[in-house]
Amino acid sequence: MHIGEKIIDRPLRWGMVGGGRTSNVGYKHRLGALRDNTAFQMVCGAFDLDYERCIDFGKNLGMDPKRLYPDYKTMFEEEAKLPDGVEVVDIATPNFQHYEVVKAALEAGLHVICEKPLFFEVEQGLEMQKLAEEKGKLVCVTYGFSGSQLLLQMRHMVKEGMLGKIHMVDLKYTHGYGCDPKGDVQSEGQKWRVDPTKVGKSFVLGDLSTHTFYESQLATNDMKVKQVLCDRQAFVGSRYPLEDNAYVLIRYEGGAVGRMWTSCVDAGTIDTQVIRIVGSKASLEWHDANPNLLYYQEQGKPAQTMVRANDYLCDECNADESLGATHIEGLSESWANIYLKFAAAIDAKNRGDEEKLKNMVYPDLQHGIDGIRWISACAKSADQGGVWVDFA
Amino acid sequence: MHIGEKIIDRPLRWGMVGGGRTSNVGYKHRLGALRDNTAFQMVCGAFDLDYERCIDFGKNLGMDPKRLYPDYKTMFEEEAKLPDGVEVVDIATPNFQHYEVVKAALEAGLHVICEKPLFFEVEQGLEMQKLAEEKGKLVCVTYGFSGSQLLLQMRHMVKEGMLGKIHMVDLKYTHGYGCDPKGDVQSEGQKWRVDPTKVGKSFVLGDLSTHTFYESQLATNDMKVKQVLCDRQAFVGSRYPLEDNAYVLIRYEGGAVGRMWTSCVDAGTIDTQVIRIVGSKASLEWHDANPNLLYYQEQGKPAQTMVRANDYLCDECNADESLGATHIEGLSESWANIYLKFAAAIDAKNRGDEEKLKNMVYPDLQHGIDGIRWISACAKSADQGGVWVDFA
Amino acid sequence: MHIGEKIIDRPLRWGMVGGGRTSNVGYKHRLGALRDNTAFQMVCGAFDLDYERCIDFGKNLGMDPKRLYPDYKTMFEEEAKLPDGVEVVDIATPNFQHYEVVKAALEAGLHVICEKPLFFEVEQGLEMQKLAEEKGKLVCVTYGFSGSQLLLQMRHMVKEGMLGKIHMVDLKYTHGYGCDPKGDVQSEGQKWRVDPTKVGKSFVLGDLSTHTFYESQLATNDMKVKQVLCDRQAFVGSRYPLEDNAYVLIRYEGGAVGRMWTSCVDAGTIDTQVIRIVGSKASLEWHDANPNLLYYQEQGKPAQTMVRANDYLCDECNADESLGATHIEGLSESWANIYLKFAAAIDAKNRGDEEKLKNMVYPDLQHGIDGIRWISACAKSADQGGVWVDFA
Amino acid sequence: MHIGEKIIDRPLRWGMVGGGRTSNVGYKHRLGALRDNTAFQMVCGAFDLDYERCIDFGKNLGMDPKRLYPDYKTMFEEEAKLPDGVEVVDIATPNFQHYEVVKAALEAGLHVICEKPLFFEVEQGLEMQKLAEEKGKLVCVTYGFSGSQLLLQMRHMVKEGMLGKIHMVDLKYTHGYGCDPKGDVQSEGQKWRVDPTKVGKSFVLGDLSTHTFYESQLATNDMKVKQVLCDRQAFVGSRYPLEDNAYVLIRYEGGAVGRMWTSCVDAGTIDTQVIRIVGSKASLEWHDANPNLLYYQEQGKPAQTMVRANDYLCDECNADESLGATHIEGLSESWANIYLKFAAAIDAKNRGDEEKLKNMVYPDLQHGIDGIRWISACAKSADQGGVWVDFA
């Protein structure tokens, strides 16, 4: 149970690239990192391509204006000169910049926390993996929903065989806020997401479903995907060749199967992410729309609703709870939990504690690369007319 | 609103083939047909291959033992000799007998009400269509869930454009009662369902998903399917080459897409059938697990829950309600509603009122044939490795 | 499990007083009594004060016009002359006629099935109890929701101590269809309900809460009420001195407490009846809005949702199921279940099987009298300003 | 919409009395106050009666050990000597200390943020009101759930007449974590709550229902209570004369009525706080168990589910949202919202902006006093046997 006490010796010096005033996700990064002021402290930022706005915004966050920079290159350069310069850089820019900023950060000897989806190509991921290893640094990926503690309960129950053999994995991440195409031209946060040069091979497959795919990997103890088949559409035609809706069928190694539905044109939906894992004797289901509940349905028995922060949950799960039973947690707790793990992992890396690092469960570079692989395989399948392609 | 008053001049003389004591579905047929004693009266039966049990059962239903027969052939022969012999025959046998009994019934000049899925092959359906036309008789199909009145509200709202252009149709009919393979050998009602010689090309695709497929056709005003792709599995291995789980992707004429998940190994599920129709501006969702509710979600507005028997629903919908608002209807009302339509349709046919017949909305022979087409296309796709096949 | 086979030797000859075309509840009586045609057969009726309408209606139900009568007196007289005259009379008139018709029926040697609330005064109930005993006849009361089988599961679990000691009983029966006062003058079925000379001492306390009170007695194995305190209001002023909203506090013998909220001005409510029983270690909750589900919440364990027709339910519960698991039952099944019990009870009475009768659980005259007692005590408390009054 | 930018010139210097490692609620105070580091900064603390533990805990929060104090008196004294001493003191001690600490803090010229319920007696509240006014300081009360933004939507809709005339207010705050009496002796956080010398006149009435009562006042625009009637019980006998369960009936000025159920022995409940407001034409319902949803039920129309952070909500509501639509908020956002209001109010007070202060809606001293009044009236009613008492 977290109550804000430190888990590492001192807060890590942390700075942001992107994530400024017009970013939807920037605030979540800050909420995650700075929740207790014991894991990270925000020392610098290159929040915005508009330097004026960057300075104004940073000042409004209470930051030292001297450490607000016009761009990431200047930031890395200037911070390197400081005795207490930034140690960890957080990248919350549009996708197309991830690769160059991650590379520059690693080369500058910084740990990296980067938004998903990581890069455009799996190869870029493998290159960064090599570079990170050389530099002895970590690259963490902000699958921001994955800190919901009941996902760890799912992982535990799957591992313990409480579902029997896993047969099906049913995944969904849909909403309807893309029904109105006006957002594509009016919202700064949306504009680049429908521009293939900035977002990569996909819109919703990358923007939404990579979250749910990672969460399903977390919950299933990284069940290996063998093949995927994807059919995708642009119901708002201007989004073509990107998609605003996609169906994916999945075949796992060992015979299990799965599905994903991802969409931003699922008009009016109020139940966005759903993860259902079906085994030979029981199922688990979790909805992002109320992450405090986990549904456990053993065939032939009354269905059970498990609630966060109760003694019947496993230790890994309850270790990440912070508000007590009957007190609802939301997305900010999820972000805080993954940032605490990033802090612990970076600290372990810094201390050379590879043993601890090996056993930690959090969204690391490998999971970031799997996300790229997911997008690439889905896009390839769809572009070939909806055929089975290997997930490799 | 139904309160039991007659809708046709006199009750039709109705008899059953199959549907006896060990049949799960037989009681639903009787509940549907005999609800008010004004549409049908049960005059004869060949309920069971075991004639003793047929007689005992029929007597317990209060029937005249003289009109309880050892088999359908005898029944058709003997009833034909009576001045008030049976007029409509109801077929609730295992699938493989449907074709021969329907054929014999039509040839005996009887109207037919038959369980789904109708036959093994589309061609058999077309043959019966020709025969029925020649004989001036109807073949009705008991998609028993499709009498739920809110499906008509969906149909109305789709037709009126309240959802915008239809983009997606998401379908599910799953449960977990097939997780335990013991039922396959112990239950009379289950045994034939996993025997390809008796059930045809599929297990759950035919047994379950044909219901939901028809309901979706009802709700979408018969949107035309262009192609399907199916991946199916037998998680209980002894069911192979039949499936106990199947995923289907659908492409409709005009660009809409859809999915179906059908399974009897979805362990512990308590929400069996779900129909979600997504349009360019709103969605509708209906769950068989509470057929009294219809969810209407207009993008950008509060989600609405519509409840049966309220004035804001359309006339076609409210015409089929019978208990008043706040009084829950269930599956028996659904069966009663389709049987009332069968009675009205048969009566119109008898009176030569083809105009009325043409405008009636109920599961007729054409929808029965579409169900066979659905199974055949899905099985073909799956057997070819999960590829797109034309729905024709 | 019911599938329509007879449970008594032959159907009882049954007739209705009231319950005609303009009656909301009449159809439910017929659905209950005639579901399988093996427990009751409808032989006669005095459905309506308007004799023309009575005849037209009865003919539309397929009845012999000779046995449609202008009033109950004529009906009892004429039927008594027939060799196969009516045996059981069903009373679905406005409340103020219950007493005189029940009395006449008993005096005519008929068994009685009567709508709730039974009479205006407890004394009338006691008088009828005496008369029924003299005549060797039964008076059954149509608490029509109480046939929902999961109420028997609650009764079983309470009796078995699965909740620990019962501490609280929380009851609700509210809806909002009385918000609009127009129904009071426009609807025949509503008009008499707001007229003290025809309805008695209460509007919603009698019309609604007597149902839920009886159901709670069923579920708690007839826990004894010691005192009640009631505060009631007429938010639609013209209903005064009757109430359209009432709060009741309950003190049971032995220290348990309870509450009831009943209202027809609970605007927009879609969850009408709720019964929550709280024990020292667990709770049970049942909602009429989906009677197929029962919520079992053991403190410190995951909450359970029990679903109708599963093996984990008790035998008494499953004995009353008729559609199979995953097939939704509604209010018509509830009515059918209590009518089957009435048939079995009347048959036992006719056969002199007092032993069987003693052990039967169904809404009998005693429960009807308790309903009058409930209304009288609540009205008395409210009229004295909301004070505690003994329930005696 | 909050994204962490400052709303006042500089963070207020803030310190805590109580709320240390063994306090359930202390972390919520810190989460609320320190969410963005722009409204408050934590400068000092007297977290614990055990000074060692206080120091260890404060250091683990990253605080300067010199500003960790053995008790509140020392803290006020020492901080007063510093040029940048504490400005606002937060009191999260057991109830019986609130009065003396608030008084000392005001006398030391500090603004106060205090846990509910405020004091034992209304008179103490009035005395502090006078003192606060003399000192020109504010006393804010942490009704920590009341920052949930949809309560402001309720307030707006009630004020705008969208419900018609308010008729009923139905309130609940129950859980079952008190079923096991072991917590009373084993948990530090629970022990004092069942000790009348430390907790005051009530257990759950004060601990739980004061929250919901304030929230209802917020949602109804402070509807005036005229009388209450309370029946309370100690189902765990050792808690007597305190209660672990209580029922309250409410009569408001103008004819509306209400109820409250509060309990810690509502075994297994997972839906703790419910606020339902019923008007002459529509109702609103909000559940703490998912504060992101608001149910709006207009009689005769489909029920609506409103979801946080959508454009159809009022400005006051959306001003307090911070994560964007489809991203779930929980209790920490609620606390953050009220702390932001405290900051704005204190800042306005400091600046002498009484106009702004007058129009601010947040839990202030007056609402704290109303909470004491609520407890006192309920306890008085119950102790007199459950009679109506004036709320004054």
Side-chain angles (χ1 to χ4, degrees), chain A residues 14 16 18-20 23-31 57 90 92, chain D residues 3:
Chain A
W14 176 83
M16 288 190 82
S23 160
N24 288 318
V25 85
Y27 189 33
K28 281 141 200 148
H29 285 261
R30 291 190 298 280
L31 285 175
F57 182 67
D90 188 64
Chain D
I3 57 164

mmCIF file with all atom_site columns, all heavy atoms in Angstrom, chain A residues 14 16 18-20 23-31 57 90 92, chain D residues 3:
data_model
loop_
_atom_site.group_PDB
_atom_site.id
_atom_site.type_symbol
_atom_site.label_atom_id
_atom_site.label_alt_id
_atom_site.label_comp_id
_atom_site.label_asym_id
_atom_site.label_entity_id
_atom_site.label_seq_id
_atom_site.pdbx_PDB_ins_code
_atom_site.Cartn_x
_atom_site.Cartn_y
_atom_site.Cartn_z
_atom_site.occupancy
_atom_site.B_iso_or_equiv
_atom_site.pdbx_formal_charge
_atom_site.auth_seq_id
_atom_site.auth_comp_id
_atom_site.auth_asym_id
_atom_site.auth_atom_id
_atom_site.pdbx_PDB_model_num
ATOM 1   N N   . TRP A 1 14 ? 14.063 14.863 -13.171 1.00 0.00 ? 14 TRP A N   1
ATOM 2   C CA  . TRP A 1 14 ? 13.240 14.425 -14.299 1.00 0.00 ? 14 TRP A CA  1
ATOM 3   C C   . TRP A 1 14 ? 12.809 15.634 -15.119 1.00 0.00 ? 14 TRP A C   1
ATOM 4   O O   . TRP A 1 14 ? 12.500 16.698 -14.569 1.00 0.00 ? 14 TRP A O   1
ATOM 5   C CB  . TRP A 1 14 ? 12.037 13.725 -13.670 1.00 0.00 ? 14 TRP A CB  1
ATOM 6   C CG  . TRP A 1 14 ? 10.928 13.226 -14.523 1.00 0.00 ? 14 TRP A CG  1
ATOM 7   C CD1 . TRP A 1 14 ? 10.889 12.047 -15.200 1.00 0.00 ? 14 TRP A CD1 1
ATOM 8   C CD2 . TRP A 1 14 ? 9.655  13.847 -14.725 1.00 0.00 ? 14 TRP A CD2 1
ATOM 9   N NE1 . TRP A 1 14 ? 9.661  11.888 -15.804 1.00 0.00 ? 14 TRP A NE1 1
ATOM 10  C CE2 . TRP A 1 14 ? 8.892  12.974 -15.540 1.00 0.00 ? 14 TRP A CE2 1
ATOM 11  C CE3 . TRP A 1 14 ? 9.083  15.045 -14.309 1.00 0.00 ? 14 TRP A CE3 1
ATOM 12  C CZ2 . TRP A 1 14 ? 7.590  13.279 -15.932 1.00 0.00 ? 14 TRP A CZ2 1
ATOM 13  C CZ3 . TRP A 1 14 ? 7.789  15.342 -14.699 1.00 0.00 ? 14 TRP A CZ3 1
ATOM 14  C CH2 . TRP A 1 14 ? 7.055  14.467 -15.516 1.00 0.00 ? 14 TRP A CH2 1
ATOM 15  N N   . MET A 1 16 ? 10.805 17.017 -18.987 1.00 0.00 ? 16 MET A N   1
ATOM 16  C CA  . MET A 1 16 ? 9.879  16.612 -20.041 1.00 0.00 ? 16 MET A CA  1
ATOM 17  C C   . MET A 1 16 ? 10.236 17.220 -21.391 1.00 0.00 ? 16 MET A C   1
ATOM 18  O O   . MET A 1 16 ? 10.586 18.400 -21.480 1.00 0.00 ? 16 MET A O   1
ATOM 19  C CB  . MET A 1 16 ? 8.458  17.066 -19.702 1.00 0.00 ? 16 MET A CB  1
ATOM 20  C CG  . MET A 1 16 ? 7.814  16.287 -18.580 1.00 0.00 ? 16 MET A CG  1
ATOM 21  S SD  . MET A 1 16 ? 6.017  16.690 -18.451 1.00 0.00 ? 16 MET A SD  1
ATOM 22  C CE  . MET A 1 16 ? 5.335  15.631 -19.731 1.00 0.00 ? 16 MET A CE  1
ATOM 23  N N   . GLY A 1 18 ? 8.044  17.861 -24.710 1.00 0.00 ? 18 GLY A N   1
ATOM 24  C CA  . GLY A 1 18 ? 6.629  17.797 -25.088 1.00 0.00 ? 18 GLY A CA  1
ATOM 25  C C   . GLY A 1 18 ? 5.758  17.772 -23.842 1.00 0.00 ? 18 GLY A C   1
ATOM 26  O O   . GLY A 1 18 ? 6.220  18.052 -22.730 1.00 0.00 ? 18 GLY A O   1
ATOM 27  N N   . GLY A 1 19 ? 4.466  17.499 -24.038 1.00 0.00 ? 19 GLY A N   1
ATOM 28  C CA  . GLY A 1 19 ? 3.564  17.381 -22.900 1.00 0.00 ? 19 GLY A CA  1
ATOM 29  C C   . GLY A 1 19 ? 3.127  18.711 -22.323 1.00 0.00 ? 19 GLY A C   1
ATOM 30  O O   . GLY A 1 19 ? 2.737  18.790 -21.148 1.00 0.00 ? 19 GLY A O   1
ATOM 31  N N   . GLY A 1 20 ? 3.188  19.786 -23.131 1.00 0.00 ? 20 GLY A N   1
ATOM 32  C CA  . GLY A 1 20 ? 2.822  21.103 -22.636 1.00 0.00 ? 20 GLY A CA  1
ATOM 33  C C   . GLY A 1 20 ? 1.330  21.357 -22.585 1.00 0.00 ? 20 GLY A C   1
ATOM 34  O O   . GLY A 1 20 ? 0.525  20.423 -22.555 1.00 0.00 ? 20 GLY A O   1
ATOM 35  N N   . SER A 1 23 ? -1.207 19.495 -24.727 1.00 0.00 ? 23 SER A N   1
ATOM 36  C CA  . SER A 1 23 ? -1.098 18.032 -24.759 1.00 0.00 ? 23 SER A CA  1
ATOM 37  C C   . SER A 1 23 ? -2.111 17.419 -23.809 1.00 0.00 ? 23 SER A C   1
ATOM 38  O O   . SER A 1 23 ? -2.196 17.789 -22.641 1.00 0.00 ? 23 SER A O   1
ATOM 39  C CB  . SER A 1 23 ? 0.310  17.630 -24.334 1.00 0.00 ? 23 SER A CB  1
ATOM 40  O OG  . SER A 1 23 ? 0.333  16.285 -23.926 1.00 0.00 ? 23 SER A OG  1
ATOM 41  N N   . ASN A 1 24 ? -2.866 16.466 -24.324 1.00 0.00 ? 24 ASN A N   1
ATOM 42  C CA  . ASN A 1 24 ? -3.820 15.790 -23.427 1.00 0.00 ? 24 ASN A CA  1
ATOM 43  C C   . ASN A 1 24 ? -3.117 14.948 -22.382 1.00 0.00 ? 24 ASN A C   1
ATOM 44  O O   . ASN A 1 24 ? -3.570 14.798 -21.260 1.00 0.00 ? 24 ASN A O   1
ATOM 45  C CB  . ASN A 1 24 ? -4.741 14.871 -24.235 1.00 0.00 ? 24 ASN A CB  1
ATOM 46  C CG  . ASN A 1 24 ? -5.743 15.658 -25.064 1.00 0.00 ? 24 ASN A CG  1
ATOM 47  O OD1 . ASN A 1 24 ? -6.296 16.625 -24.578 1.00 0.00 ? 24 ASN A OD1 1
ATOM 48  N ND2 . ASN A 1 24 ? -5.936 15.254 -26.316 1.00 0.00 ? 24 ASN A ND2 1
ATOM 49  N N   . VAL A 1 25 ? -1.998 14.376 -22.783 1.00 0.00 ? 25 VAL A N   1
ATOM 50  C CA  . VAL A 1 25 ? -1.403 13.344 -21.948 1.00 0.00 ? 25 VAL A CA  1
ATOM 51  C C   . VAL A 1 25 ? -0.330 13.883 -21.016 1.00 0.00 ? 25 VAL A C   1
ATOM 52  O O   . VAL A 1 25 ? 0.056  13.232 -20.045 1.00 0.00 ? 25 VAL A O   1
ATOM 53  C CB  . VAL A 1 25 ? -0.862 12.208 -22.853 1.00 0.00 ? 25 VAL A CB  1
ATOM 54  C CG1 . VAL A 1 25 ? 0.547  12.539 -23.356 1.00 0.00 ? 25 VAL A CG1 1
ATOM 55  C CG2 . VAL A 1 25 ? -0.878 10.872 -22.134 1.00 0.00 ? 25 VAL A CG2 1
ATOM 56  N N   . GLY A 1 26 ? 0.141  15.098 -21.289 1.00 0.00 ? 26 GLY A N   1
ATOM 57  C CA  . GLY A 1 26 ? 1.227  15.637 -20.485 1.00 0.00 ? 26 GLY A CA  1
ATOM 58  C C   . GLY A 1 26 ? 0.906  15.676 -18.995 1.00 0.00 ? 26 GLY A C   1
ATOM 59  O O   . GLY A 1 26 ? 1.738  15.325 -18.147 1.00 0.00 ? 26 GLY A O   1
ATOM 60  N N   . TYR A 1 27 ? -0.314 16.082 -18.685 1.00 0.00 ? 27 TYR A N   1
ATOM 61  C CA  . TYR A 1 27 ? -0.691 16.189 -17.270 1.00 0.00 ? 27 TYR A CA  1
ATOM 62  C C   . TYR A 1 27 ? -0.654 14.823 -16.592 1.00 0.00 ? 27 TYR A C   1
ATOM 63  O O   . TYR A 1 27 ? -0.292 14.706 -15.423 1.00 0.00 ? 27 TYR A O   1
ATOM 64  C CB  . TYR A 1 27 ? -2.088 16.800 -17.151 1.00 0.00 ? 27 TYR A CB  1
ATOM 65  C CG  . TYR A 1 27 ? -2.502 17.157 -15.739 1.00 0.00 ? 27 TYR A CG  1
ATOM 66  C CD1 . TYR A 1 27 ? -1.585 17.598 -14.793 1.00 0.00 ? 27 TYR A CD1 1
ATOM 67  C CD2 . TYR A 1 27 ? -3.832 17.058 -15.350 1.00 0.00 ? 27 TYR A CD2 1
ATOM 68  C CE1 . TYR A 1 27 ? -1.979 17.945 -13.503 1.00 0.00 ? 27 TYR A CE1 1
ATOM 69  C CE2 . TYR A 1 27 ? -4.242 17.398 -14.067 1.00 0.00 ? 27 TYR A CE2 1
ATOM 70  C CZ  . TYR A 1 27 ? -3.307 17.837 -13.146 1.00 0.00 ? 27 TYR A CZ  1
ATOM 71  O OH  . TYR A 1 27 ? -3.700 18.163 -11.871 1.00 0.00 ? 27 TYR A OH  1
ATOM 72  N N   . LYS A 1 28 ? -1.035 13.790 -17.334 1.00 0.00 ? 28 LYS A N   1
ATOM 73  C CA  . LYS A 1 28 ? -0.983 12.449 -16.738 1.00 0.00 ? 28 LYS A CA  1
ATOM 74  C C   . LYS A 1 28 ? 0.450  12.053 -16.393 1.00 0.00 ? 28 LYS A C   1
ATOM 75  O O   . LYS A 1 28 ? 0.698  11.444 -15.362 1.00 0.00 ? 28 LYS A O   1
ATOM 76  C CB  . LYS A 1 28 ? -1.623 11.446 -17.684 1.00 0.00 ? 28 LYS A CB  1
ATOM 77  C CG  . LYS A 1 28 ? -3.132 11.490 -17.598 1.00 0.00 ? 28 LYS A CG  1
ATOM 78  C CD  . LYS A 1 28 ? -3.779 11.330 -18.945 1.00 0.00 ? 28 LYS A CD  1
ATOM 79  C CE  . LYS A 1 28 ? -5.203 11.848 -18.900 1.00 0.00 ? 28 LYS A CE  1
ATOM 80  N NZ  . LYS A 1 28 ? -5.620 12.410 -20.201 1.00 0.00 ? 28 LYS A NZ  1
ATOM 81  N N   . HIS A 1 29 ? 1.392  12.399 -17.269 1.00 0.00 ? 29 HIS A N   1
ATOM 82  C CA  . HIS A 1 29 ? 2.791  12.132 -16.940 1.00 0.00 ? 29 HIS A CA  1
ATOM 83  C C   . HIS A 1 29 ? 3.189  12.841 -15.646 1.00 0.00 ? 29 HIS A C   1
ATOM 84  O O   . HIS A 1 29 ? 3.809  12.243 -14.769 1.00 0.00 ? 29 HIS A O   1
ATOM 85  C CB  . HIS A 1 29 ? 3.706  12.612 -18.083 1.00 0.00 ? 29 HIS A CB  1
ATOM 86  C CG  . HIS A 1 29 ? 3.691  11.720 -19.282 1.00 0.00 ? 29 HIS A CG  1
ATOM 87  N ND1 . HIS A 1 29 ? 4.658  10.789 -19.530 1.00 0.00 ? 29 HIS A ND1 1
ATOM 88  C CD2 . HIS A 1 29 ? 2.809  11.606 -20.309 1.00 0.00 ? 29 HIS A CD2 1
ATOM 89  C CE1 . HIS A 1 29 ? 4.392  10.149 -20.662 1.00 0.00 ? 29 HIS A CE1 1
ATOM 90  N NE2 . HIS A 1 29 ? 3.270  10.634 -21.166 1.00 0.00 ? 29 HIS A NE2 1
ATOM 91  N N   . ARG A 1 30 ? 2.817  14.103 -15.552 1.00 0.00 ? 30 ARG A N   1
ATOM 92  C CA  . ARG A 1 30 ? 3.204  14.844 -14.339 1.00 0.00 ? 30 ARG A CA  1
ATOM 93  C C   . ARG A 1 30 ? 2.507  14.271 -13.100 1.00 0.00 ? 30 ARG A C   1
ATOM 94  O O   . ARG A 1 30 ? 3.115  14.126 -12.047 1.00 0.00 ? 30 ARG A O   1
ATOM 95  C CB  . ARG A 1 30 ? 2.894  16.332 -14.504 1.00 0.00 ? 30 ARG A CB  1
ATOM 96  C CG  . ARG A 1 30 ? 3.810  17.004 -15.531 1.00 0.00 ? 30 ARG A CG  1
ATOM 97  C CD  . ARG A 1 30 ? 3.686  18.509 -15.552 1.00 0.00 ? 30 ARG A CD  1
ATOM 98  N NE  . ARG A 1 30 ? 2.352  18.959 -15.927 1.00 0.00 ? 30 ARG A NE  1
ATOM 99  C CZ  . ARG A 1 30 ? 1.901  19.029 -17.184 1.00 0.00 ? 30 ARG A CZ  1
ATOM 100 N NH1 . ARG A 1 30 ? 2.679  18.664 -18.205 1.00 0.00 ? 30 ARG A NH1 1
ATOM 101 N NH2 . ARG A 1 30 ? 0.691  19.456 -17.441 1.00 0.00 ? 30 ARG A NH2 1
ATOM 102 N N   . LEU A 1 31 ? 1.220  13.954 -13.243 1.00 0.00 ? 31 LEU A N   1
ATOM 103 C CA  . LEU A 1 31 ? 0.517  13.353 -12.104 1.00 0.00 ? 31 LEU A CA  1
ATOM 104 C C   . LEU A 1 31 ? 1.195  12.058 -11.678 1.00 0.00 ? 31 LEU A C   1
ATOM 105 O O   . LEU A 1 31 ? 1.323  11.755 -10.490 1.00 0.00 ? 31 LEU A O   1
ATOM 106 C CB  . LEU A 1 31 ? -0.944 13.061 -12.460 1.00 0.00 ? 31 LEU A CB  1
ATOM 107 C CG  . LEU A 1 31 ? -1.891 14.255 -12.517 1.00 0.00 ? 31 LEU A CG  1
ATOM 108 C CD1 . LEU A 1 31 ? -3.252 13.799 -13.008 1.00 0.00 ? 31 LEU A CD1 1
ATOM 109 C CD2 . LEU A 1 31 ? -2.018 14.915 -11.139 1.00 0.00 ? 31 LEU A CD2 1
ATOM 110 N N   . PHE A 1 57 ? 4.017  28.316 -19.547 1.00 0.00 ? 57 PHE A N   1
ATOM 111 C CA  . PHE A 1 57 ? 3.459  27.112 -18.947 1.00 0.00 ? 57 PHE A CA  1
ATOM 112 C C   . PHE A 1 57 ? 4.336  26.613 -17.806 1.00 0.00 ? 57 PHE A C   1
ATOM 113 O O   . PHE A 1 57 ? 3.850  26.331 -16.701 1.00 0.00 ? 57 PHE A O   1
ATOM 114 C CB  . PHE A 1 57 ? 3.317  26.031 -20.041 1.00 0.00 ? 57 PHE A CB  1
ATOM 115 C CG  . PHE A 1 57 ? 2.720  24.749 -19.568 1.00 0.00 ? 57 PHE A CG  1
ATOM 116 C CD1 . PHE A 1 57 ? 1.395  24.687 -19.158 1.00 0.00 ? 57 PHE A CD1 1
ATOM 117 C CD2 . PHE A 1 57 ? 3.476  23.585 -19.543 1.00 0.00 ? 57 PHE A CD2 1
ATOM 118 C CE1 . PHE A 1 57 ? 0.845  23.490 -18.731 1.00 0.00 ? 57 PHE A CE1 1
ATOM 119 C CE2 . PHE A 1 57 ? 2.932  22.391 -19.110 1.00 0.00 ? 57 PHE A CE2 1
ATOM 120 C CZ  . PHE A 1 57 ? 1.608  22.343 -18.697 1.00 0.00 ? 57 PHE A CZ  1
ATOM 121 N N   . ASP A 1 90 ? 11.547 12.487 -20.071 1.00 0.00 ? 90 ASP A N   1
ATOM 122 C CA  . ASP A 1 90 ? 10.226 11.970 -20.377 1.00 0.00 ? 90 ASP A CA  1
ATOM 123 C C   . ASP A 1 90 ? 9.814  12.527 -21.730 1.00 0.00 ? 90 ASP A C   1
ATOM 124 O O   . ASP A 1 90 ? 9.819  13.751 -21.921 1.00 0.00 ? 90 ASP A O   1
ATOM 125 C CB  . ASP A 1 90 ? 9.267  12.466 -19.289 1.00 0.00 ? 90 ASP A CB  1
ATOM 126 C CG  . ASP A 1 90 ? 7.911  11.844 -19.404 1.00 0.00 ? 90 ASP A CG  1
ATOM 127 O OD1 . ASP A 1 90 ? 7.818  10.626 -19.237 1.00 0.00 ? 90 ASP A OD1 1
ATOM 128 O OD2 . ASP A 1 90 ? 6.956  12.590 -19.669 1.00 0.00 ? 90 ASP A OD2 1
ATOM 129 N N   . ALA A 1 92 ? 6.967  13.105 -24.423 1.00 0.00 ? 92 ALA A N   1
ATOM 130 C CA  . ALA A 1 92 ? 5.519  13.115 -24.649 1.00 0.00 ? 92 ALA A CA  1
ATOM 131 C C   . ALA A 1 92 ? 5.197  13.917 -25.903 1.00 0.00 ? 92 ALA A C   1
ATOM 132 O O   . ALA A 1 92 ? 4.232  14.677 -25.944 1.00 0.00 ? 92 ALA A O   1
ATOM 133 C CB  . ALA A 1 92 ? 4.813  13.683 -23.421 1.00 0.00 ? 92 ALA A CB  1
ATOM 134 N N   . ILE D 1 3  ? -4.934 21.320 -15.373 1.00 0.00 ? 3  ILE D N   1
ATOM 135 C CA  . ILE D 1 3  ? -3.765 20.563 -15.825 1.00 0.00 ? 3  ILE D CA  1
ATOM 136 C C   . ILE D 1 3  ? -2.539 20.919 -15.005 1.00 0.00 ? 3  ILE D C   1
ATOM 137 O O   . ILE D 1 3  ? -1.412 20.730 -15.445 1.00 0.00 ? 3  ILE D O   1
ATOM 138 C CB  . ILE D 1 3  ? -3.491 20.750 -17.328 1.00 0.00 ? 3  ILE D CB  1
ATOM 139 C CG1 . ILE D 1 3  ? -3.291 22.244 -17.671 1.00 0.00 ? 3  ILE D CG1 1
ATOM 140 C CG2 . ILE D 1 3  ? -4.603 20.173 -18.178 1.00 0.00 ? 3  ILE D CG2 1
ATOM 141 C CD1 . ILE D 1 3  ? -2.647 22.435 -19.044 1.00 0.00 ? 3  ILE D CD1 1
#
